[in-house]
């Protein structure tokens, strides 16, 4: 394995190499490459946010963080459907991130709840069909970050530019992969008895409800309650129980 190939490994892959190293020297090499990867990742993140801030203004740095998260994730992750269709789905998802949080921010609590419900469900429905990818951790997190930092003006331009960048990077890395599912299959596989559909509705309703309660109570940052709810609403029952116990403790 070349240095470049090893740098492309995810965290689990790097740790597996270190654990299964044949001797001490080999183990030290893998540890050194892992440290180098962490340093390069941090340098890239700083450079990306700095460039985004320079282009769209310091008030839009949070939007830059959302774009950065998506770029980092969709270098490797996918939506589980045809790559060409995924390209346009990603643009649509960024469209939701561009307008949804702003509409919720300027609306009454009840209207904001409806907007949150519709947007978060759309994000999980189109972006999280393969729940093992945990794409909700990117999309819903991004939505909540933007909910706590109103989206308007140049921020919308920044998000749409970021969406195009994310979609292009995704397509470049995935266009050779053949996917069995197409966008229409997401609708065909949606039924209320499905564990996936139940989870999508559960996380949507849970996050939207705690945001509503936070707004009604006049809390200054409802997004923090949304983060807490999202972290508990895991796709698998056992994970949900463990997270719930941890939060209560």
């Amino acid at each position: 394995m070349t240095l470049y190939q090893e740098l492309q490994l995810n965290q689990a892959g790097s740790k597996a190499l270190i654990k299964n190293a044949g001797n001490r020297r080999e183990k030290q090499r893998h540890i050194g490459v892992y440290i180098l990867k962490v340093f390069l990742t941090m340098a890239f993140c700083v450079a990306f946010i700095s460039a985004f801030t320079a282009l769209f203004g310091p008030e839009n740095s949070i939007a830059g963080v959302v774009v950065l998260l998506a770029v980092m994730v969709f270098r490797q992750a996918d939506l589980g459907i045809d790559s060409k269709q995924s390209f346009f789905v990603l643009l649509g998802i960024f469209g939701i991130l561009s307008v949804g949080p702003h509409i919720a921010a300027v609306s009454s609590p009840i209207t904001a709840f409806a907007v949150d419900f519709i947007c978060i469900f759309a994000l999980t429905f189109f972006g999280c069909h393969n729940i093992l990818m945990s794409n909700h951790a990117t999309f819903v997190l991004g939505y909540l970050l933007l909910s706590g930092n109103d989206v308007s003006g140049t921020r919308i331009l920044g998000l749409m530019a970021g969406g195009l960048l994310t979609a292009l990077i995704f397509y470049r890395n995935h266009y050779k992969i053949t996917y069995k599912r197409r966008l229409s299959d997401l609708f065909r596989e949606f039924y209320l008895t499905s564990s996936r559909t139940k989870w999508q509705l559960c996380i949507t309703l849970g996050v939207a409800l705690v945001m509503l309660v936070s707004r009604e109570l006049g809390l200054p940052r409802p997004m923090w309650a949304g983060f807490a709810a999202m972290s508990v609403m895991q796709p698998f029952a056992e994970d949900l129980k463990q997270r719930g116990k941890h939060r209560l403790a």
Side-chain angles (χ1 to χ4, degrees), residues 162-224:
L164 179 60
L165 175 63
T166 302
L168 288 171
I169 291 174
F170 166 84
Y171 187 73
R172 187 261 181 195
N173 290 354
H174 294 81
Y175 75 97
K176 292 182 180 180
I177 302 174
T178 301
Y179 294 94
K180 294 181 180 180
R181 286 187 178 90
R182 296 179 63 81
L183 182 59
S184 57
D185 291 315
L186 302 189
F187 294 93
R188 279 197 290 267
E189 295 178 15
F190 176 83
Y191 47 95
L192 295 178
T193 55
S194 163
S195 58
R196 175 178 50 238
T197 300
K198 289 178 181 178
W199 169 74
Q200 289 171 338
L201 290 171
C202 180
I203 189 172
T204 298
L205 184 60
V207 173
L209 273 176
V210 298
M211 295 278 281
L212 171 63
V213 172
S214 297
R215 291 186 181 105
E216 291 287 6
L217 293 175
L219 299 180
R221 289 281 188 169
M223 70 175 186
W224 293 112

Side-chain angles (χ1 to χ4, degrees), residues 6-189:
E6 190 167 343
L7 287 171
Q8 299 306 304
L9 294 175
N10 57 23
Q11 187 179 46
S14 295
K15 289 184 175 181
L17 275 182
I18 295 171
K19 182 180 180 180
N20 299 320
N23 53 61
R24 183 177 179 181
R25 184 176 180 181
E26 184 181 349
K27 185 174 184 178
Q28 289 176 338
R29 177 185 178 276
H30 292 320
I31 292 174
V33 173
Y34 180 72
I35 293 173
L36 174 62
K37 181 169 64 175
V38 171
F39 173 79
L40 292 175
T41 300
M42 291 180 62
F44 172 77
C45 292
V46 171
F48 187 96
I49 296 299
S50 298
F52 193 96
T53 299
L55 286 171
F56 300 104
E59 69 278 5
N60 295 320
S61 59
I62 289 296
V65 172
V66 173
V67 174
L68 174 63
L69 288 173
V71 167
M72 296 292 286
V73 167
F74 287 99
R75 287 175 59 251
Q76 297 179 323
D78 60 67
L79 300 180
I81 60 175
D82 177 75
S83 298
K84 292 181 180 179
Q85 294 185 339
S86 293
F87 178 91
F88 293 103
V89 169
L90 283 171
L91 293 181
I93 284 173
F94 269 86
I96 293 172
L97 295 177
S98 298
V99 301
H102 175 66
I103 296 174
V106 298
S107 302
S108 66
I110 296 299
T111 303
F113 167 77
V115 173
D116 288 340
F117 185 91
I118 292 170
C119 291
I120 293 173
F121 181 74
L123 293 174
T124 57
F125 177 79
F126 290 107
C128 306
H129 191 74
N130 182 357
I131 59 177
L132 294 178
M133 285 290 181
S134 298
N135 290 337
H136 67 285
T138 301
F139 296 137
V140 180
L141 175 64
Y143 182 89
L144 294 174
L145 281 172
L146 294 168
S147 294
N149 301 270
D150 193 15
V151 181
S152 60
T154 56
R155 184 169 298 182
I156 293 178
L157 296 177
L159 284 169
M160 294 311 297
L164 179 60
L165 175 63
T166 302
L168 288 171
I169 291 174
F170 166 84
Y171 187 73
R172 187 261 181 195
N173 290 354
H174 294 81
Y175 75 97
K176 292 182 180 180
I177 302 174
T178 301
Y179 294 94
K180 294 181 180 180
R181 286 187 178 90
R182 296 179 63 81
L183 182 59
S184 57
D185 291 315
L186 302 189
F187 294 93
R188 279 197 290 267
E189 295 178 15

